[in-house]
Amino acid sequence: MPEIMQQEILTVKEIQHILRIGQVNAYQLIRTPGFPVVKIGRAYRIPRSSFYDWLSRQQCAAEEE
Protein backbone atom coordinates (compact mmCIF):
# COMPACT_ATOMS: atom_id res chain seq x y z
CA MET A 1 0.00 0.00 0.00
CA PRO A 2 2.78 2.58 0.63
CA GLU A 3 3.87 2.42 -3.05
CA ILE A 4 0.32 3.25 -4.17
CA MET A 5 0.22 6.32 -1.92
CA GLN A 6 3.53 7.63 -3.34
CA GLN A 7 2.30 7.67 -6.95
CA GLU A 8 0.80 10.89 -8.28
CA ILE A 9 -1.71 9.09 -10.52
CA LEU A 10 -3.92 6.16 -9.53
CA THR A 11 -5.59 3.57 -11.73
CA VAL A 12 -9.10 2.23 -11.32
CA LYS A 13 -7.60 -1.02 -10.02
CA GLU A 14 -5.67 0.89 -7.34
CA ILE A 15 -8.86 2.74 -6.36
CA GLN A 16 -10.55 -0.66 -6.02
CA HIS A 17 -7.76 -1.80 -3.72
CA ILE A 18 -7.77 1.37 -1.61
CA LEU A 19 -11.55 1.38 -1.16
CA ARG A 20 -11.89 -2.42 -1.06
CA ILE A 21 -14.60 -2.44 -3.71
CA GLY A 22 -15.18 -4.53 -6.80
CA GLN A 23 -14.57 -3.60 -10.41
CA VAL A 24 -18.23 -2.84 -11.19
CA ASN A 25 -18.51 -0.48 -8.21
CA ALA A 26 -15.22 1.19 -9.09
CA TYR A 27 -16.36 1.96 -12.64
CA GLN A 28 -19.71 3.23 -11.34
CA LEU A 29 -17.80 5.46 -8.92
CA ILE A 30 -15.58 7.04 -11.57
CA ARG A 31 -18.69 7.92 -13.56
CA THR A 32 -20.21 9.73 -10.56
CA PRO A 33 -20.48 13.51 -11.09
CA GLY A 34 -17.77 15.28 -9.13
CA PHE A 35 -15.38 12.31 -8.99
CA PRO A 36 -11.88 13.42 -10.05
CA VAL A 37 -11.11 11.25 -13.08
CA VAL A 38 -9.24 11.85 -16.31
CA LYS A 39 -9.87 9.71 -19.38
CA ILE A 40 -6.83 9.14 -21.58
CA GLY A 41 -7.82 7.17 -24.64
CA ARG A 42 -9.61 4.16 -23.20
CA ALA A 43 -7.88 4.38 -19.82
CA TYR A 44 -9.05 6.20 -16.72
CA ARG A 45 -6.58 7.85 -14.35
CA ILE A 46 -7.25 9.52 -11.03
CA PRO A 47 -4.96 12.22 -9.64
CA ARG A 48 -3.94 11.01 -6.18
CA SER A 49 -4.31 14.32 -4.33
CA SER A 50 -7.69 15.02 -5.95
CA PHE A 51 -8.88 11.53 -5.03
CA TYR A 52 -7.96 11.93 -1.37
CA ASP A 53 -9.54 15.41 -1.30
CA TRP A 54 -12.73 13.92 -2.78
CA LEU A 55 -12.65 11.06 -0.28
CA SER A 56 -12.26 13.50 2.60
CA ARG A 57 -15.27 15.51 1.39
CA GLN A 58 -17.34 12.32 1.20
CA GLN A 59 -16.38 11.45 4.75
CA CYS A 60 -17.35 14.93 5.99
CA ALA A 61 -20.68 14.75 4.15
CA ALA A 62 -21.41 11.35 5.71
CA GLU A 63 -20.66 12.68 9.19
CA GLU A 64 -23.10 15.58 8.69
CA GLU A 65 -26.00 13.24 7.89
Side-chain angles (χ1 to χ4, degrees), residues 25-53:
N25 284 334
Y27 279 96
Q28 287 176 344
L29 178 62
I30 65 169
R31 290 180 177 94
T32 302
F35 188 83
V37 64
V38 177
K39 187 173 183 185
I40 303 170
R42 293 178 58 189
Y44 294 95
R45 297 294 180 257
I46 300 96
R48 181 182 62 85
S49 60
S50 297
F51 169 72
Y52 283 106
D53 289 343

Side-chain angles (χ1 to χ4, degrees), residues 5 7-8 10 15 18-19 29 33-37 46-62:
M5 294 182 74
Q7 297 172 3
E8 291 186 35
L10 301 170
I15 295 298
I18 292 166
L19 297 176
L29 178 62
F35 188 83
V37 64
I46 300 96
R48 181 182 62 85
S49 60
S50 297
F51 169 72
Y52 283 106
D53 289 343
W54 174 87
L55 189 60
S56 178
R57 288 192 306 273
Q58 301 310 302
Q59 185 175 12
C60 289

